[in-house]
Amino acid sequence: FVAVAETLKVSGTAVSAAIAADNVVVALYFAMLFSISSPGEEGDKAATEEVLSASEDPGMTISDPESVDNASSSFSLPSLALAACVSSVLVTAGGLLSKLLLPAGTSALPLTSVLTVVSATIFPTFFSKIRDAGNALGILFIQLFFAASGAAGSIGLVLKKAPSLFAFSALQIGIHFAFLNLVGRKLFRLEPRELYLASNANVGGPTTAAAMAQAKEWKRLVLPALLIGILGYATATAIALALGPILLRLPTIS
């Protein structure tokens, strides 16, 4: 958003007001998504049936539903320090590459996310060793992010300073949520948790969507949430930059 605003030379006052309105509306919307979505891994029924059938096999011992995935993952002080170090390196590398490869003012978040996914794909054994520590750090900092987002917005201040932006942002999300339920659930019959996560990625981006998947323990949906959020950044930013000059030429009502 900031990159598009800078490219279109939107005034700083308008950008600040829009960010404040967006913070309030998005914080309320995320609270609603969290309240209406159920925690727990998707496919719980199928997973339970698999565990029950496996428990009937006398040759198999079940001590942990994710014993295979967690076999090489551990949580310790060294792994916590290593996870913090690796994340710092990835964020720094993403910021440097964004300055070199992307237009000025573009957020480093999309490229940093891509760099992280690519690194984890190329070196799965190494990243599996710091997975638990990385998840713990990620949940901690994303909760701080949610708290900061909520603290940055004041409903009374936004309604006083930028009521039209607040109304427009709320209307956008309202139409989005209605379309999501009518088309996604009624027409395509998608699972509610998939729709809510896609909505989070659409409204908040890859970090908030992945954080929601983690918080709700939808572990199989963490990576898809991250990728669809990155796809949204890549496509929506280009579309906004293309439509911006056209919309600025339209007559305004004073």
Side-chain angles (χ1 to χ4, degrees):
F1 168 76
V2 175
V4 174
E6 289 180 355
T7 304
L8 298 178
K9 295 180 173 57
V10 180
S11 66
T13 304
V15 172
S16 300
I19 291 176
D22 180 72
N23 283 338
V24 173
V25 174
V26 169
L28 295 175
Y29 183 64
F30 284 168
M32 186 196 74
L33 285 182
F34 270 80
S35 65
I36 63 178
S37 56
S38 302
E41 183 64 275
E42 73 279 7
D44 286 336
K45 183 177 180 181
T48 303
E49 292 176 353
E50 290 179 4
V51 171
L52 291 176
S53 62
S55 63
E56 296 174 357
D57 185 355
M60 179 176 291
T61 301
I62 299 178
S63 58
D64 185 352
E66 297 181 4
S67 58
V68 176
D69 291 338
N70 289 333
S72 59
S73 182
S74 60
F75 186 90
S76 62
L77 187 58
S79 65
L80 192 65
L82 184 59
C85 179
V86 170
S87 62
S88 299
V89 170
L90 289 171
V91 169
T92 302
L96 293 176
L97 289 176
S98 297
K99 291 181 179 180
L100 293 174
L101 303 176
L102 301 179
T106 303
S107 172
L109 181 58
L111 193 54
T112 301
S113 301
V114 171
L115 186 62
T116 303
V117 173
V118 171
S119 300
T121 303
I122 297 176
F123 306 105
T125 303
F126 171 76
F127 278 88
S128 67
K129 296 178 181 178
I130 58 174
R131 183 180 57 194
D132 287 349
N135 285 340
L137 284 175
I139 292 174
L140 172 63
F141 284 111
I142 202 62
Q143 294 300 331
L144 291 175
F145 168 77
F146 284 143
S149 297
S154 169
I155 296 178
L157 181 62
V158 170
L159 290 177
K160 181 180 179 181
K161 298 292 185 180
S164 59
L165 289 175
F166 180 86
F168 179 69
S169 183
L171 180 63
Q172 277 186 310
I173 292 183
I175 294 174
H176 160 79
F177 188 73
F179 183 85
L180 189 80
N181 282 278
L182 290 175
V183 177
R185 297 190 68 175
K186 303 298 183 182
L187 182 61
F188 294 103
R189 301 186 181 279
L190 297 174
E191 290 290 331
R193 69 188 69 196
E194 295 176 354
L195 292 174
Y196 299 151
L197 203 56
S199 176
N200 191 310
N202 181 276
V203 174
T207 52
T208 59
M212 180 177 178
Q214 285 281 7
K216 289 294 182 178
E217 298 180 356
W218 302 337
K219 297 181 180 179
R220 298 178 187 174
L221 296 178
V222 174
L223 182 57
L226 186 66
L227 294 177
I228 198 65
I230 294 172
L231 176 64
Y233 273 172
T235 55
T237 301
I239 293 173
L241 290 174
L243 289 178
I246 299 175
L247 294 176
L248 290 175
R249 296 194 194 100
L250 296 178
T252 58
I253 300 176
S254 57

